[in-house]
Amino acid sequence: MEIFRVLRIFLIFTIFFLMGDPYFSLSSSLPERLVKSRAAHHNYTAISEFRVLNRKTLGYCPDPNPYLQITTSSIAKLSDEEYITVNVTGVLLPSTHHWVAMISPSHSSVAACLENAILYLQTGDLASLPLLCHYPVKAQYVRNDPDYLSCKKKECKKKEKGRCVLSTCGASLSFHVINIRTDIEFVLFSGGFVTPCILRRSQPLTFANPNKPLYGHLSSTDSTANSMKVRWVSGNQQPQHVQYGNGRTVTSLVSTFSQNDMCNTSYLQSPAKDFGWHDPGYIHSAVMTGLNPSTKYSYRYGSDSSGWSNWTTFKTPPSGGSDELKFLAFGDMGKAPRDASTEHYIQPGSLSVIKAMADELSSGDVDSIFHIGDISYATGFLVEWDFFLHQISPVASKVSYMTAIGNHERDYGDSGSVYFTPDSGGECGIPYEKYFPMPAVAKDKPWYSIEQGSVHFTVISTEHNWTQNSEQYTWMKKDMAGVDRSRTPWLIFTGHRPMYSSNSGNIVSRSVDDKFVQAVEPLLLANKVDLVLFGHVHNYERTCAVYKQQCKAKPKKDGNGIDTYDNTNYSAPVHAVIGMAGFSLDTFSTNGNAWSLVRISKFGYTRVHATKKELKVEYVNANTRKVEDSFRITKS
């Protein structure tokens, strides 16, 4: 029976992909969930030629060139971060189709791959073998060297009577490499990303210390600010330690996750389950206790056998109920390469946003950070979590880095997510919860609340059941109803998918889920939520005080010309979409909505300053560092 089921799926999908766009040609003949799966990968998860490399039948190119070589500048053990020069030499005929991939682990072999192409239908490519069994970490066309195609880097390989009769061409490429624990190699291909074949492979390169403790990041454990959790990654499963304060030490708890933990469905094999897998090593966590709120401490993590991190200074947030809080907030960051490489998924604004926030943190004027969904965009290509953790370390290692789960962390078919789209690539929230353990209700129930300064944060998961009388709905209703507004006068509600956006999304993934709005928006009004922060849509947008699409109140200009909402006589929440921290930006609809007051499609983040009397929010352009929107919410 199993073989007939597979053959049936194969026939359906062969027709599906050959006939083109499923929305217009096959939408009535395919199961809805299959139409949505392929379409969501194509339109929302940015499939490209490089992204479907894993489904290419691969072999060595028929190339008899005896001069061709690929070598690297590094022959010693690799450091934790460096730029490696990859040299391609001995090329007889330069081509625009030549490219170099960074592969890890280096022992990947075509021969070891199972011929199970039917399980990879979501990529739209039905070839029989994955590329080297492992998806390339990154790749560059050799033509990135501007001298390659013109053959300005010539070498004479054969002389006759003192005259060169055979010369070859060469190129040099720079690759940014961080410690991902498994050894790497560089592979030279011909045929581009569409019809690749191997020309040459470099010697494997090994990291000097694959057990090195790296990528430490902090989070708050509760509202007292008397403790902070630090999380880091190492290749060593033995417990390590955090040293902090005046000689205090705490031993780490160690966890990990495996390929078997990743999600699958009965009809699709996920990237996380197979070709996108990369060993995460071991994830260490320890709680630093006995801290004081709003205080600076130094810490380091590791062990004598595995090595130690550098000493880092961090700042605890203010305790809940105190007067003042300064935090940064954004969504949809992801990561981008620090070289000219192509990766399976790139969020181009992420580097500039991190740099701007790191500069702001250096002033000492930031207490915490809130990243509300779509964290790394690894989406089943697990090595990218390492690159993301490396990228955020200048900020996440110094203040409390709080997160909410998004569709690209959780959603996958048959996983129990509210949404069917395969946006997590089979991760189904497992890496997210391992790397970013928030003070959540329970495993795979990643909603929580926390108080810092004068603010109570209610953080939900838009990807888990939020319908009326669901567990999460009951929790958020109780949580918001129990806020002591004399202690924390400001109630900020946050999650990933928005309730208001002037970007409609696409036919598969709408920006706003009306069912979510109908179920949850009444709770916001009933509990007098002051500010609602969402991501998911990749721009910045601010509303009036809005409820059920109607402006209940509009701000007035204060003496400095800043929009001010007076919540002394509460009318409705103010919503802000802040998903502009990295992912390619979204445009706005040309149709105006009365509730939409400010729209900005530029990379940046929000800066919030809360006192007992005022909540001031600023949108900061990451490239210019200028404040491009500012508003206040006040109470007498």
Side-chain angles (χ1 to χ4, degrees):
M1 294 299 292
E2 179 67 12
I3 189 170
F4 290 113
R5 184 183 69 83
V6 171
L7 286 173
R8 185 171 63 253
I9 295 174
F10 178 83
L11 290 173
I12 289 173
F13 271 85
T14 300
I15 297 170
F16 178 48
F17 289 116
L18 289 177
M19 292 187 66
D21 194 325
Y23 297 132
F24 303 105
S25 59
L26 286 174
S27 58
S28 61
S29 60
L30 277 175
E32 181 184 10
R33 61 183 185 176
L34 300 186
V35 173
K36 285 186 175 182
S37 174
R38 196 264 183 173
H41 264 283
H42 184 74
N43 294 324
Y44 196 75
T45 316
I47 279 185
S48 65
E49 285 184 349
F50 182 69
R51 179 146 186 167
V52 296
L53 264 174
N54 59 286
R55 300 310 314 140
K56 304 302 180 184
T57 302
L58 195 65
Y60 281 86
C61 308
D63 182 78
N65 179 358
Y67 308 109
L68 187 61
Q69 291 187 13
I70 178 170
T71 59
T72 62
S73 59
S74 181
I75 56 175
K77 299 287 187 178
L78 296 174
S79 64
D80 296 328
E81 179 182 16
E82 64 179 279
Y83 285 85
I84 294 176
T85 300
V86 176
N87 297 305
V88 176
T89 58
V91 179
L92 293 172
L93 184 62
S95 169
T96 58
H97 301 296
H98 291 160
W99 58 284
V100 173
M102 175 178 156
I103 307 290
S104 182
S106 67
H107 56 74
S108 306
S109 167
V110 173
C113 297
L114 298 176
E115 296 192 21
N116 55 356
I118 190 63
L119 298 177
Y120 298 96
L121 297 169
Q122 60 198 330
T123 66
D125 188 330
L126 298 181
S128 60
L129 294 175
L131 171 63
L132 294 174
C133 301
H134 288 267
Y135 195 88
V137 175
K138 56 174 66 180
Q140 294 187 42
Y141 276 105
V142 185
R143 64 176 183 261
N144 279 3
D145 184 332
D147 295 333
Y148 182 59
L149 296 178
S150 60
C151 197
K152 291 183 180 179
K153 296 176 180 175
K154 288 186 178 181
E155 288 184 284
C156 184
K157 296 297 183 181
K158 187 177 180 181
K159 290 185 178 182
E160 291 182 0
K161 297 180 181 180
R163 179 171 168 269
C164 185
V165 295
L166 179 64
S167 61
T168 61
C169 309
S172 296
L173 304 173
S174 179
F175 282 83
H176 176 241
V177 178
I178 64 168
N179 189 342
I180 55 175
R181 298 166 301 282
T182 53
D183 57 0
I184 65 174
E185 71 170 335
F186 293 90
V187 182
L188 174 63
F189 294 92
S190 186
F193 298 149
V194 178
T195 57
C197 59
I198 298 174
L199 286 167
R200 295 290 187 276
R201 301 172 76 153
S202 75
Q203 291 296 313
L205 299 173
T206 303
F207 289 98
N209 184 2
N211 293 330
K212 183 72 176 292
L214 295 165
Y215 318 135
H217 50 284
L218 302 168
S219 61
S220 296
T221 60
D222 57 33
S223 301
T224 67
N226 294 140
S227 61
M228 290 278 274
K229 180 172 287 186
V230 58
R231 204 84 155 172
W232 69 94
V233 179
S234 171
N236 190 347
Q237 65 178 330
Q238 298 303 312
Q240 298 175 1
H241 311 283
V242 176
Q243 296 176 344
Y244 67 101
N246 296 318
R248 283 176 281 186
T249 300
V250 61
T251 301
S252 70
L253 298 176
V254 187
S255 64
T256 189
F257 54 91
S258 71
Q259 218 162 346
N260 290 333
D261 295 324
M262 301 295 96
C263 279
N264 250 354
T265 67
S266 58
Y267 53 88
L268 288 177
Q269 182 87 327
S270 72
K273 195 79 171 179
D274 203 326
F275 57 82
W277 172 257
H278 183 266
D279 192 327
Y282 297 93
I283 302 162
H284 295 251
S285 66
V287 178
M288 297 180 285
T289 60
L291 307 177
N292 293 317
S294 301
T295 304
K296 290 184 177 181
Y297 296 90
S298 292
Y299 73 106
R300 69 171 184 168
Y301 49 89
S303 67
D304 291 338
S305 60
S306 296
W308 291 90
S309 70
N310 294 327
W311 284 96
T312 301
T313 299
F314 74 95
K315 181 182 180 183
T316 53
S319 59
S322 57
D323 180 64
E324 190 174 21
L325 172 68
K326 296 179 180 180
F327 69 94
L328 308 180
F330 56 87
D332 306 80
M333 174 176 277
K335 49 104 200 83
R338 296 179 183 271
D339 53 29
S341 293
T342 295
E343 296 177 354
H344 99 278
Y345 213 4
I346 293 173
Q347 292 72 50
S350 58
L351 292 177
S352 64
V353 173
I354 277 290
K355 179 65 168 64
M357 292 195 300
D359 290 346
E360 185 156 343
L361 255 71
S362 66
S363 69
D365 222 18
V366 176
D367 297 314
S368 60
I369 290 174
F370 283 81
H371 183 167
I372 53 173
D374 286 3
I375 307 299
S376 74
Y377 286 95
T379 60
F381 296 81
L382 277 303
V383 72
E384 300 203 2
W385 277 105
D386 285 289
F387 280 88
F388 174 75
L389 294 172
H390 172 270
Q391 178 179 285
I392 66 169
S393 59
V395 297
S397 63
K398 296 177 180 177
V399 295
S400 174
Y401 195 95
M402 308 302 291
T403 60
I405 200 167
N407 54 301
H408 283 289
E409 286 74 60
R410 185 59 182 80
D411 294 359
Y412 205 73
D414 296 348
S415 72
S417 173
V418 172
Y419 302 98
F420 186 81
T421 54
D423 291 342
S424 78
E427 293 182 10
C428 295
I430 293 167
Y432 166 78
E433 289 193 329
K434 291 291 186 181
Y435 290 122
F436 293 96
M438 297 296 105
V441 171
K443 183 179 180 181
D444 202 29
K445 297 177 182 180
W447 47 90
Y448 65 96
S449 65
I450 196 164
E451 293 180 345
Q452 295 180 353
S454 54
V455 179
H456 180 100
F457 295 91
T458 298
V459 184
I460 72 157
S461 168
T462 55
E463 313 312 299
H464 290 75
N465 191 355
W466 31 252
T467 58
Q468 193 167 8
N469 298 323
S470 66
E471 182 179 359
Q472 183 176 200
Y473 181 95
T474 301
W475 172 85
M476 69 176 84
K477 181 177 180 180
K478 181 179 179 182
D479 178 73
M480 289 189 287
V483 178
D484 182 351
R485 303 302 281 266
S486 65
R487 185 172 181 271
T488 50
W490 303 111
L491 176 52
I492 296 180
F493 182 92
T494 187
H496 185 58
R497 295 174 185 259
M499 294 182 180
Y500 291 88
S501 173
S502 295
N503 177 281
S504 59
N506 59 55
I507 194 169
V508 173
S509 182
R510 310 301 296 178
S511 294
V512 175
D513 183 345
D514 292 336
K515 292 180 180 178
F516 170 58
V517 178
Q518 291 166 10
V520 178
E521 190 181 26
L523 288 180
L524 308 184
L525 187 73
N527 291 285
K528 296 185 177 181
V529 169
D530 298 289
L531 178 63
V532 183
L533 299 175
F534 287 122
H536 194 59
V537 180
H538 308 125
N539 53 36
Y540 172 85
E541 185 168 18
R542 169 166 63 92
T543 72
C544 58
V546 62
Y547 182 66
K548 292 190 174 180
Q549 302 283 324
Q550 299 295 317
C551 280
K552 299 301 181 181
K554 287 191 174 183
K556 297 180 180 179
K557 300 290 184 183
D558 67 7
N560 296 314
I562 297 174
D563 279 359
T564 302
Y565 302 80
D566 186 356
N567 274 15
T568 302
N569 296 311
Y570 180 83
S571 55
V574 177
H575 289 247
V577 172
I578 55 172
M580 65 290 155
F583 196 99
S584 298
L585 294 166
D586 287 331
T587 58
F588 293 97
S589 167
T590 55
N591 298 323
N593 296 299
W595 45 259
S596 178
L597 302 186
V598 179
R599 305 177 185 181
I600 302 172
S601 188
K602 298 176 184 178
F603 293 118
Y605 58 95
T606 51
R607 174 194 298 146
V608 184
H609 183 193
T611 65
K612 294 276 189 178
K613 303 262 184 192
E614 176 184 275
L615 198 63
K616 183 177 182 181
V617 183
E618 297 176 318
Y619 162 72
V620 181
N621 182 318
N623 292 309
T624 65
R625 313 294 174 90
K626 293 181 179 178
V627 174
E628 296 204 10
D629 183 46
S630 181
F631 64 94
R632 300 165 61 230
I633 304 176
T634 60
K635 292 179 182 178
S636 60

